[in-house]
Amino acid sequence: MASPTARLFAVATATTLLFAGAPARAEPVAPVTPTSTGANAFAPLATCYGGAVRSYFETGRYGGSAGQYRTTTRCRDINVRNASVYATEACVIFVDKTSACNYWTYLPANSGWITVATDVRDGVNFRVRFENLRYEYEPLIAYHAF
């Protein structure tokens, strides 16, 4: 579950935006550059995120679910990147075991990669569920690496 501080910040930001009338936009993240000049410093990054899957919801509404996916050997964790202009929360549902979320993770607008489930075995079936702080008319766009 997200920390109380993160939830309070999200609610305060949403309230401010409601009165301001314009959505906040995160600054673009600078590209990652390797610090060493050794053989392919990007190999782990390309291996995990190279097979990322895109989810697109025409209207973000109050959220939604993406998948069903199956974990692979590319990543040890399940990672999500929020490419939307508004913040959202995400959780993972391990569909072979439960219909409930593991825990909620806050994803800021235009976020980088954030881990939503750690140390997941290969071959595990899952879905990613999103929950928005309010009804969103803009699309919800996310990328999943697993």
Side-chain angles (χ1 to χ4, degrees), residues 37-76:
T37 57
N40 198 356
F42 286 111
L45 185 68
T47 302
C48 184
Y49 301 129
V53 177
R54 179 178 183 249
S55 292
Y56 182 84
F57 300 87
E58 183 92 24
T59 302
R61 293 182 264 166
Y62 287 107
S65 292
Q68 176 168 331
Y69 306 115
R70 180 183 292 262
T71 56
T72 65
T73 57
R74 285 191 306 267
C75 304
R76 279 193 351 200

Side-chain angles (χ1 to χ4, degrees), residues 1-2 45 48-49 71 75-82 88-92 94 102-108 111-120 126 128-130 143-146:
M1 187 167 184
L45 185 68
C48 184
Y49 301 129
T71 56
C75 304
R76 279 193 351 200
D77 304 325
I78 297 173
N79 304 281
V80 177
R81 183 172 69 87
N82 178 14
T88 189
E89 291 185 315
C91 74
V92 174
F94 297 104
N102 60 340
Y103 52 85
W104 289 100
T105 302
Y106 178 76
L107 304 172
S111 72
W113 289 101
I114 297 175
T115 301
V116 294
T118 58
D119 294 324
V120 182
F126 70 96
V128 179
R129 181 176 292 162
F130 297 96
Y143 294 86
H144 319 285
F146 44 90

